[in-house]
Amino acid sequence: MATVLRLVDLCKNFDSTPVVRNVNLEIRGGEFFTFLGPSGCGKTTTLRMIGGFEQPTSGRILLDGQDITDLPPFLRDVNTVFQNYALFPHMTVVQNVAFGLEMRGASKAEIASRVKKMLAIFGLTGLEKRKPAQLSGGQQQRVAVARSLVLHPRVLLLDEPLAALDAQLRRQIQIELKEIQKSSGVTFVYVTHDQEEALSLSDRIGVMREGVLEQVATPREVYSRPATRFVAEFVGENNILPVRVIGSQGGDTLLEMGHIRVVARDGRVAKGQPAVLAIRPENICLHAERPVGEGNLLAGVVRECLYSGTSLKVVLQLDSGQRLLVQTQAGASFQPEDRVWAAWRPENGRVLPDHPVPHGQVLPGHPPNPQPGSRRRGRWPG
């Protein structure tokens, strides 16, 4: 798919404080792309710069190859759905959805046809004359998205649009959003702090920390192959164990964890450097007796068993004193104070540097992010 939106060295400072730092990103046409990160990481500020509601301190924004950095919002082929929906309270559903078309001077026949189609797609038929105060939260959200999509924008920006909904309605709307995005072919750029939402909706995810894109990848890659310790800790549950790299053998990374040696197949830390081993709880097997032939083994005592219906989460106190979380089958018979052994395959451990990634450092497989200020506006590369 061709690139529809490109961010080049995008920076934003508030009162000399960097909020977005040298973001370089290409978003493809028809893609559902999500900015994921904790509050204050810069994801909403990035979205607002794309929409034209914030002016970058430096860098460029290109839409279909055209530089739109300095264009006001109404001159960009980009629409935004805000967290509070921003519906006109004095207008009916039909009037809200038709508003943008009227501002563009569309004919009455075209407005009627396109609005009717949108109301049908979003399940709003029969609610045409209601005002926002007469709608549920889910219905208001549908009206907000319909009002944006009726204009056939090149890109639709969504700033945590489901945050105000209860869990059940949020899951329902998530399914609807994904179906609408695929059927419409419009590029969605979504912002959320909800990892589950990002993993289930997105074609690709950009994980942000302190204004930096730490990893851009598919949901499966972000979950299974986190690029940094922050991504490993933020996305899903992970066991983070301190280790020391002592060498390599046949493509494996040899690690020392206290007095125990373990092996990982996926390593990016040089010998002697401090590192952590990230292991997902579902990738660890528990044994009531010491297994024979298992390479990576840690012994410990069961402290807690947390039943969740579909699985059993077991908290271990390892002999080293550390805690380990293991997710196993709901019918497993482990009990507190049981002596157990935890085993995992080398390919299921991820070795990562035991420090935050410095701003601007290039990780393997990542696009280069120059240091802030290295390219100011007006110095567009040829």
Side-chain angles (χ1 to χ4, degrees):
M1 292 181 288
T3 297
V4 63
L5 184 67
R6 187 180 179 201
L7 311 182
V8 183
D9 302 334
L10 199 63
C11 297
K12 179 64 179 179
N13 298 344
F14 288 116
D15 297 327
S16 75
T17 300
V19 176
V20 176
R21 308 169 187 252
N22 296 95
V23 169
N24 288 278
L25 178 66
E26 293 185 358
I27 297 176
R28 305 157 189 157
E31 183 175 30
F32 197 124
F33 185 91
T34 298
F35 286 106
L36 173 66
S39 298
C41 71
K43 57 188 185 295
T44 292
T45 300
T46 302
L47 198 80
R48 289 178 60 82
M49 286 191 285
I50 295 171
F53 301 102
E54 293 286 353
Q55 191 68 14
T57 302
S58 62
R60 293 290 181 184
I61 303 169
L62 288 89
L63 181 65
D64 286 328
Q66 177 190 358
D67 191 336
I68 63 169
T69 311
D70 298 318
L71 291 181
F74 61 88
L75 289 181
R76 303 181 183 207
D77 194 6
V78 173
N79 280 357
T80 304
V81 177
F82 298 99
Q83 187 172 340
N84 62 359
Y85 311 140
L87 299 176
F88 298 112
H90 61 287
M91 292 184 179
T92 64
V93 169
V94 165
Q95 291 168 335
N96 266 284
V97 176
F99 180 79
L101 292 172
E102 292 173 350
M103 292 298 99
R104 290 187 177 182
S107 67
K108 289 185 178 181
E110 182 183 3
I111 292 173
S113 173
R114 286 167 66 170
V115 169
K116 182 179 180 180
K117 182 179 179 181
M118 280 293 132
L119 295 182
I121 290 173
F122 284 88
L124 296 168
T125 303
L127 305 177
E128 292 89 343
K129 296 182 179 180
R130 292 193 187 182
K131 294 184 178 179
Q134 299 171 302
L135 302 174
S136 68
Q139 290 167 340
Q140 291 181 34
Q141 195 270 348
R142 291 187 185 102
V143 174
V145 178
R147 183 180 61 179
S148 295
L149 282 182
V150 76
L151 297 171
H152 298 165
R154 197 72 180 92
V155 176
L156 182 63
L157 310 177
L158 300 103
D159 184 11
E160 303 213 44
L162 310 185
L165 305 180
D166 62 63
Q168 184 175 353
L169 182 56
R170 190 162 60 244
R171 286 191 291 270
Q172 177 187 335
I173 300 294
Q174 285 172 4
I175 295 170
E176 293 176 1
L177 272 180
K178 186 66 176 176
E179 290 175 347
I180 289 165
Q181 188 270 331
K182 283 192 171 297
S183 63
S184 69
V186 174
T187 302
F188 276 30
V189 181
Y190 199 89
V191 160
T192 185
H193 64 272
D194 188 317
Q195 323 156 17
E196 184 179 345
E197 192 168 270
L199 291 171
S200 61
L201 287 176
S202 313
D203 295 315
R204 285 192 304 153
I205 298 172
V207 185
M208 294 191 76
R209 178 189 66 88
E210 297 181 7
V212 175
L213 272 176
E214 295 229 341
Q215 184 172 8
V216 177
T218 66
R220 188 177 296 276
E221 289 171 322
V222 167
Y223 186 84
S224 302
R225 297 175 60 82
T228 67
R229 176 173 180 169
F230 171 80
V231 176
E233 291 179 315
F234 185 77
V235 180
E237 293 179 308
N238 231 326
N239 293 288
I240 306 294
L241 302 172
V243 295
R244 189 169 66 90
V245 179
I246 59 175
S248 60
Q249 181 178 348
D252 290 341
T253 301
L254 307 180
L255 307 169
E256 196 171 65
M257 188 185 302
H259 300 294
I260 299 173
R261 292 194 174 184
V262 295
V263 177
R265 194 135 299 155
D266 183 11
R268 57 173 64 205
V269 184
K271 181 179 178 179
Q273 288 186 339
V276 293
L277 179 64
I279 317 168
R280 295 286 180 191
E282 64 269 23
N283 289 332
I284 302 173
C285 294
L286 280 187
H287 301 273
E289 298 181 0
R290 184 185 180 99
V292 177
E294 293 282 357
N296 293 326
L297 272 181
L298 295 175
V301 175
V302 175
R303 292 303 181 207
E304 297 284 349
C305 293
L306 309 172
Y307 177 72
S308 65
T310 57
S311 65
L312 182 71
K313 292 184 179 179
V314 181
V315 181
L316 303 184
Q317 177 102 36
L318 299 176
D319 290 351
S320 62
Q322 296 169 310
R323 290 289 178 110
L324 192 73
L325 179 65
V326 180
Q327 181 174 309
T328 187
Q329 295 178 350
S333 57
F334 298 103
Q335 300 292 331
E337 305 306 321
D338 285 351
R339 178 78 174 168
V340 295
W341 280 262
W344 70 94
R345 296 177 178 177
E347 59 268 26
N348 288 332
R350 181 83 166 156
V351 185
L352 301 167
D354 189 22
H355 54 75
V357 178
H359 300 307
Q361 177 174 322
V362 180
L363 290 177
H366 279 225
N369 280 343
Q371 290 294 329
S374 61
R375 284 182 182 166
R376 307 298 297 176
R377 174 121 16 108
R379 296 180 61 190
W380 171 247

